[in-house]
Amino acid sequence: MAAVIAVVWVAGNWSTVWPVLVTVLAAAALGGTGWALLWAHRQAISRDRAWRAQEEARARELSMAEVDALSWQEFETYVAELCRRDGCTKVVVSGKSGDLGADVIGYLADGRKLVVQCKKYAPHRSVSSQDMQKFVGTARLEHGADVALFVTTCRSFTRDALGLALRQDIVAMHRDLLGSWVKGAHLETLIPLNGSGGGTRRRPPA
C-alpha cells in the first residue's frame, strides 16, 4: 500500500520530482566514478612504489655482486674509499689481522672519530653475537670511537648481535644498507638507521 501511495504521489508531482531525481542519480554516478578513479590512482601509486623498490633492490644487488667479488683486503680498502667519498678525513686501513676490530679508522667532517669493523661474509650468513662482542670491547675502549660502524656483506645480524649493537650504540650495517651506501647514499644518513652510534660532536683533530 505504501509503495502504491508513493508511486501515485510521484506521478502526480513528476514535474517537481524528476529534477531532484536526476540530480541525485547524477551525484551518485559522479561519486561512484570519482571513487573508482581514486581507487585506481592509489593502486597505480602502490604498484609504482613496489616496482621502484624492486628496481632499487635489483640495482643494489648488481652493485653488490661487484663487492662480493672483492677479497676481504679489497673490501676493507673499498669501505675506506666510501668513507672518503662521503667527506671523511685521515682515513686509514689496517689491512692486517690483530687490528683489534679497527679495519678502517677516520674522522667524519664534524670531527667525530669513526672506527669501522668490516666483515666480508657470504650473503646467506649472519653476523654472530661473538663477532659483535669483540667489536664492542675494542671500538671505544681501545680506539676511542665516537661512531662505531660494523659493516658486513651478509644480509643480517643475529637477534643477539643486533640487540647488543643497539644497546652499545654500534651502527650495524647489513647488506641492504651497504647496498644503499654503495649506490650513493651518504654515510651520515645511514648512521641513524640501525643502531645510533652517533657519539659526541667535536672539532676535527689538527
Side-chain angles (χ1 to χ4, degrees), residues 27-118:
L30 288 174
T33 302
W35 182 88
L37 291 174
L38 178 61
W39 182 83
H41 177 66
R42 288 177 176 175
Q43 288 294 107
I45 291 176
S46 178
R47 288 193 297 268
D48 180 68
R49 286 175 178 171
W51 176 81
R52 289 179 184 275
Q54 291 174 355
E55 287 299 301
E56 288 174 2
R58 188 175 68 86
R60 283 198 299 269
E61 284 302 309
L62 288 174
S63 298
M64 288 302 297
E66 298 176 356
V67 175
D68 289 336
L70 302 175
S71 67
W72 65 266
Q73 296 97 331
E74 291 169 335
F75 178 56
E76 291 178 4
T77 300
Y78 180 65
V79 169
E81 290 172 357
L82 291 176
C83 293
R84 293 188 186 99
R85 182 201 73 187
D86 289 348
C88 294
T89 60
K90 298 188 176 181
V91 179
V92 295
V93 182
S94 169
K96 61 183 180 181
S97 60
D99 53 23
L100 297 178
D103 296 320
V104 177
I105 295 177
Y107 292 86
L108 298 175
D110 61 10
R112 287 177 293 172
K113 186 174 184 179
L114 173 68
V115 176
V116 186
Q117 168 77 86
C118 303

Side-chain angles (χ1 to χ4, degrees), residues 1 57 111 126 133 135 152 168 182 185 195 205:
M1 181 64 71
S126 297
Q133 287 174 28
F135 188 49
T152 181
Q168 298 297 326
V182 169

Side-chain angles (χ1 to χ4, degrees), residues 162 166 170-174 177 180 185-196:
L162 185 56
L166 293 172
I170 305 296
V171 182
M173 183 180 288
H174 51 64
L177 289 179
S180 295
H186 197 281
L187 176 59
E188 293 205 43
T189 68
L190 297 171
I191 286 173
L193 297 183
N194 212 355
S196 52

